[in-house]
Amino acid sequence: ARVFPATGIKISEPSPTTATIWTRVTRDATRAADDRPAPIVRVVHRETGQELPLRDNTAYPTGRPIVAFAPGSDLGSIRGAALGAAGQTRVRHRAAGTNAWTTSDWRDVDPRRDFTALFALTGLKPGTRYDVEVAARPSARAQPDAINTVAGGFVTAPAANATADVTFCVMSCQKYERSDRPDGFALYPSMQALRPDFFVNTGDVVYYDHGPAIALNADLARYHWARMFSYPTLREFHQRVGSYFMKDDHDVLANDCEPGLRSGDLTFEEGLRIFSEQTALTDAPYRTVRWGRHLQLWMVEGRDFRTTRVKGDPTPPTIWGAPQIAWLEKSLAASDATFRLLITSTPIVGPDRTQKDDNYSNRGFVVEGDRIRAMLGRHPNLAVITGDRHWQYVSTDRATGLEEWSVGAASDAHAGGWNEDQPRLEHRFLRIKHGGFLSGTVTPATATAGATLTLRLHDTRGIVLFESAKPAVK
């Protein structure tokens, strides 16, 4: 028997001295072809048995899923599938350009966690490129020719006091049914061409509540991840770039979800566990990381701590929760980084559409939103980067001067949601109907100029559409 790494690897949470390598063992060498049949998913009312219509952006709290497969198909051979398998993995790493590898022991993958295993790399050197090689085998008795490997690499963050050039990319909202290449998404090679030091996905990594295979149980949820990350463009990118994953609604349960909800047999809490299982997300979903003297990132958590809005309740609802807000306020004040970037899954400034009400730019969260914007607006050299919205914009809050960049959707087919002919006073840039991503570069000070942060919005081909260079303000 042979096993394979068909869903590649992920290099998660790089810091100056650590990184986590996510591995998974699969039954097959490559993903099932996209001309294979899709699973047949139905949902019926849990008590009455009445069939409920499947719709995108919908949760089914009273639903019971019924999943079937076309003749000759199963969970491992449906469209895009990359079924997990029992086996072992091992990781070795070395500083690029050196010969001495540090090699882990072989480790069994965990069938309760979709046949994945995590390897914590520690004692790394700041600001250093590392080679990584991940191997998979069926068991300890396997012959050498049964071992399959994936090679990759990543960069550790520079030390907090180091003067360093930094390049990074941020993207959001990738829907399987809206991919734009047979091998995945065009924006991944476009981002990789920039040779980013790190990458942030702001959420909606997959869409459980869209398409014919709505994820109404854990098996279907994991199928969403396997078919996405077995795409060649995603595999190649994540082998070469360290990543930070953030979650939002569609990759936890369903549109605009919050704690306590369920859809079919999948609960919000199980959705949190599966997201962590598939991304190596840390126990603290909100975190800050330093990339040298000039750049510090804050990645905030927008789903775990939400409170339900109850009609007549005078207590303002929360998105981030009091502990996270207190942590953010304290850590921002303590930072001596030249530039601060707050990355959020949902908008803070917007503007957003009037029919939406799940983020700080909406009326339902205006009390906490005003407080957050005022707090962030007090810090010079701070900008917000947001995902979730399917259009690209740069806007400035008129009350506080806080600037927000929306990275847009991952493909042109998934873009939309605003009217390009109706810009608001807040908009510095507005682009609809086309996908893309954001890139940023930090350039250290020279003898004649101070440090500069440059942010850019790109289309999926990598062409720069809007650019703003921000010299440090004292």
Side-chain angles (χ1 to χ4, degrees), residues 59-397:
Y60 294 88
T62 63
R64 177 173 61 85
I66 299 173
V67 183
F69 304 100
S73 296
D74 58 18
L75 190 61
S77 59
I78 52 178
R79 182 179 305 162
L83 192 67
Q88 296 183 324
T89 63
R90 181 188 68 188
V91 173
R92 62 178 189 162
H93 68 280
R94 67 182 179 188
T98 66
N99 295 320
W101 291 93
T102 298
T103 305
S104 74
D105 294 331
W106 286 98
R107 184 179 303 171
D108 293 333
V109 295
D110 188 348
R112 298 166 300 177
R113 293 179 58 86
D114 199 25
F115 303 95
T116 62
L118 301 179
F119 293 81
L121 307 187
T122 60
L124 306 178
K125 296 178 180 179
T128 302
R129 174 160 290 280
Y130 280 86
D131 299 325
V132 173
E133 184 182 88
V134 176
R137 69 182 185 183
S139 71
R141 300 185 301 274
Q143 296 298 311
D145 62 358
I147 297 173
N148 290 289
T149 61
V150 174
F154 67 99
V155 176
T156 54
N161 60 354
T163 299
D165 293 278
V166 181
T167 299
F168 60 91
C169 293
V170 186
M171 57 87 63
S172 183
C173 300
Q174 58 183 14
K175 183 179 176 183
Y176 182 80
E177 289 80 11
R178 300 285 174 84
S179 63
D180 53 6
R181 287 172 43 151
D183 58 353
F185 290 84
L187 87 169
Y188 279 97
S190 299
M191 291 190 294
Q192 193 167 348
L194 301 179
R195 299 178 62 84
D197 297 304
F198 67 88
F199 159 84
V200 181
N201 190 316
T202 72
D204 294 340
V205 184
V206 294
Y207 278 72
Y208 286 159
D209 56 342
H210 281 241
I214 289 179
L216 299 169
N217 61 32
D219 283 344
L220 289 173
R222 288 171 172 136
Y223 164 62
H224 276 253
W225 288 91
R227 67 180 185 173
M228 182 66 75
F229 284 89
S230 58
Y231 265 142
T233 52
L234 276 78
R235 283 189 52 172
E236 172 62 23
F237 182 85
H238 286 290
Q239 288 168 209
R240 304 290 174 185
V241 182
S243 300
Y244 303 93
F245 284 94
M246 303 168 66
K247 60 180 177 289
D248 197 14
D249 47 357
H250 299 286
D251 47 15
V252 171
L253 188 71
N255 188 49
D256 293 353
C257 62
E258 58 189 28
L261 296 183
R262 68 181 299 140
S263 185
D265 291 341
L266 187 67
T267 66
F268 183 91
E269 291 69 28
E270 189 168 26
L272 297 183
R273 290 193 294 271
I274 292 175
F275 188 94
S276 177
E277 161 195 292
Q278 296 293 330
T279 63
L281 183 67
T282 60
D283 292 337
Y286 55 88
R287 65 270 201 206
T288 182
V289 61
R290 192 70 175 260
W291 275 79
R293 171 70 187 89
H294 295 302
L295 181 62
Q296 187 166 349
L297 311 173
W298 284 260
M299 290 164 277
V300 290
E301 168 53 46
R303 291 289 154 190
D304 293 17
F305 311 113
R306 287 173 177 254
T307 56
T308 301
R309 285 155 288 172
V310 178
K311 189 175 182 179
D313 186 349
T315 305
T318 185
I319 294 179
W320 291 351
Q324 180 175 205
I325 294 171
W327 162 83
L328 177 61
E329 192 166 21
K330 182 178 180 180
S331 58
L332 281 170
S335 173
D336 65 351
T338 306
F339 298 104
R340 301 168 175 88
L341 287 178
L342 186 137
I343 305 179
T344 172
S345 296
T346 57
I348 297 172
V349 175
D352 196 9
R353 295 165 294 180
T354 56
Q355 69 268 31
K356 291 292 290 183
D357 199 17
D358 82 327
N359 63 68
Y360 282 135
S361 68
N362 300 142
R363 291 182 61 83
F365 294 96
V366 67
V367 174
E368 191 167 271
D370 284 345
R371 177 188 168 191
I372 295 296
R373 284 183 288 272
M375 176 182 69
L376 298 176
R378 290 195 294 268
H379 294 278
N381 306 318
L382 183 148
V384 174
I385 298 172
T386 186
D388 188 49
R389 303 298 78 193
H390 293 192
W391 64 96
Q392 293 178 318
Y393 66 79
V394 181
S395 63
T396 303
D397 180 51

Side-chain angles (χ1 to χ4, degrees), residues 445-450:
T446 66
T448 58

